[in-house]
Amino acid sequence: MDQIRTIKGTHDILPPNSIKWQKLEKIIYQTCKLFSFKEIRTPVFEKTDLFSRSVGELTDIVSKEMYSWEDRDGTNLTLRPELTASVVRSYIQHNLQSHSPIQRLFYIGPIFRRERPQKGRQRQFHQFGVEAFGSDNPEQDAEVISLAWHLLSKLNIIDNITLKINSLGSPECREKYRLALKDYIRPHLSTFSETSNVRFKKNPLRILDSKNANEINILKSAPPISNFYTSEDKNHFKSVLSFLDKMKILYKVRPQLVRGLDYYTKTVFEFTSKDLGAQDAILGGGRYDNLVKTLGGKPTAGIGFAAGMERFLIALESKGFNFENEAPDIYFVCIEKEAIGLTLALTKKLREKDFSVIIDPMRRSMKAQLREANKFGAKIALIIGDSEIKSNSIIIKDLTKNSQKTCPQSELFNFL
Ligand code: HAM
């Protein structure tokens, strides 16, 4: 029979890799605690409308990359291609602003996008993200960015990272800019790629994301969006940058940074890493002050970011991050069949006292079990053989010093 394998662009996370994930998650939880962000978990599938109305019908994500299907009752459903929309849906549904005017939420979970798989790009990947609701003040932008900065510093991968930042201004500013950018590009359009031609019609700002050398060259002289900021847009962005300066968070203003999702207003940012190769965006985010209203809630400002967990791990590995396998405290060597029940009973008690214990369910020889105890890096081996059964004793072998002593089973816990 054909062997069934994972679907293209999806991966199993196996031990010892899964231990790296747990360690990364632990550092994320600790960081979120420092900033008082609380965890939110939402379903992995939602109504398709949620994403088309928020991320945007014309974006690559919605137009090409979503896993969508019609449910048996005719509802269109989609595996979430990002989490901001789901968090906003939940914020509105559960009236979270009534609990507190500021809501600080974070999430870790799988995301699904039908992209061409390559290093750092999967079809099922995982994001860690945060969303802060309730303030349109620039200090909130600075705080969210400083959370990302703190995490990347804590993980020791900040050295090779660049924070790129821009402001997309208010919707009025963007509309004026859209027209001006089209006017600038129009005379060059025949030399632009097919993708850019489609974007020109549907979503011209996305042309700024072009990777084509000719287009990049032409776009260098395009008018910057800052020419179209309102004074409120200008002041907001200026304050965000000055707060980052105060916190000694280094950034580069990139007028071409537009991001691939439609809901952004004002601040947008991306952290890129030299350790990642072609897919170098490790984290991206921005402000979305109109999204809660667009999805049917009371007008509420919001800002957040999401980071690719797999990309974190690539960056960490290139730094030689120490993800040691956790060794068990005790390997319980049981050589006699009659002692299996006793071994299990003692093991249960040991675990109740928080010792991590391994037993050998294969009933191998003492030599084989001890070899495995050393392989796992266990600190202690407990041994019960024929004479220990008869004398109610147990051998305690210190595997780090290779010394051993025998004690009555009743004294085992005191000894340990
Ligand atoms: P995004 O830029 O689409 O933003 O994704 C955020 C991060 O997810 C990227 O920087 C990258 O690290 C990772 N990522 C994206 N696609 C893939 C993929 N196919 N494979 C592996 N990693 C990937 C968002 O999703 C927004 N919801 C971020 C946000 C939150 N904005 C405001 N709040």
Side-chain angles (χ1 to χ4, degrees), residues 66-85:
M66 294 204 303
Y67 286 97
S68 303
W69 70 98
E70 194 183 297
D71 207 11
R72 290 180 190 194
D73 64 359
T75 323
N76 287 314
L77 302 177
T78 292
L79 288 179
R80 62 189 186 197
E82 63 113 48
L83 256 153
T84 309

Side-chain angles (χ1 to χ4, degrees), residues 167-174 225 229-230 233 264-267:
S167 171
L168 298 178
S170 49
E172 307 85 73
C173 149
R174 244 200 343 277
I225 193 164
Y229 289 161
T230 62
D233 295 338
Y264 293 118
T265 50
K266 293 187 179 156
T267 317

Side-chain angles (χ1 to χ4, degrees), residues 86-304:
S86 304
V87 173
V88 171
R89 194 254 323 124
S90 180
Y91 176 86
I92 300 167
Q93 184 176 336
H94 303 286
N95 200 11
L96 292 187
Q97 84 271 25
S98 68
H99 300 280
S100 156
I102 297 292
Q103 282 289 331
R104 301 177 183 90
L105 302 168
F106 80 93
Y107 48 81
I108 298 177
I111 304 288
F112 308 86
R113 293 186 192 172
R114 200 177 189 291
E115 293 189 87
R116 198 169 47 78
Q118 64 179 90
K119 184 183 171 204
R121 188 158 77 188
Q122 290 90 243
R123 291 183 170 177
Q124 174 173 339
F125 61 101
H126 298 77
Q127 279 187 348
F128 152 61
V130 310
E131 312 294 348
F133 295 94
S135 167
D136 59 4
N137 286 323
E139 54 269 39
Q140 184 67 87
D141 306 43
E143 237 230 332
V144 162
I145 293 172
S146 89
L147 192 160
W149 188 269
H150 182 98
L151 178 63
L152 295 163
S153 309
K154 195 88 198 159
L155 294 171
N156 233 341
I157 51 175
I158 198 80
D159 299 354
N160 283 344
I161 277 179
T162 309
L163 162 58
K164 296 169 185 158
I165 191 165
N166 190 20
S167 171
L168 298 178
S170 49
E172 307 85 73
C173 149
R174 244 200 343 277
E175 186 46 31
K176 283 189 198 147
Y177 182 55
R178 211 173 62 87
L179 299 174
L181 187 65
K182 281 182 94 164
D183 287 345
Y184 173 80
I185 293 173
R186 196 169 290 110
H188 307 279
L189 203 54
S190 58
T191 69
F192 275 38
S193 66
E194 211 183 302
T195 314
S196 290
N197 271 273
V198 174
R199 284 179 174 168
F200 182 83
K201 283 197 202 106
K202 296 186 167 171
N203 201 355
L205 260 65
R206 294 279 291 130
I207 298 182
L208 295 173
D209 254 0
S210 168
K211 305 278 183 286
N212 176 304
N214 165 54
E215 294 174 18
I216 292 173
N217 204 25
I218 293 169
L219 291 168
K220 267 187 199 148
S221 314
I225 193 164
S226 54
N227 289 1
F228 302 85
Y229 289 161
T230 62
S231 59
E232 147 66 11
D233 295 338
K234 228 178 267 172
N235 289 338
H236 190 276
F237 194 37
K238 210 170 126 198
S239 301
V240 173
L241 299 183
S242 83
F243 293 150
L244 293 179
D245 290 335
K246 286 253 164 7
M247 290 194 282
K248 299 202 165 28
I249 291 177
L250 309 176
Y251 57 82
K252 290 190 173 146
V253 175
R254 283 279 181 273
Q256 315 272 337
L257 180 70
V258 285
R259 310 251 318 121
L261 304 98
D262 279 355
Y263 48 62
Y264 293 118
T265 50
K266 293 187 179 156
T267 317
V268 286
F269 55 93
E270 221 158 66
F271 287 73
T272 54
S273 166
K274 284 190 205 129
D275 299 321
L276 291 183
Q279 298 304 317
D280 66 349
I282 197 160
L283 181 155
R287 184 166 270 294
Y288 45 85
D289 289 348
N290 299 321
L291 185 55
V292 178
K293 186 162 167 252
T294 306
L295 291 177
K298 293 192 194 119
T300 310
I303 176 163

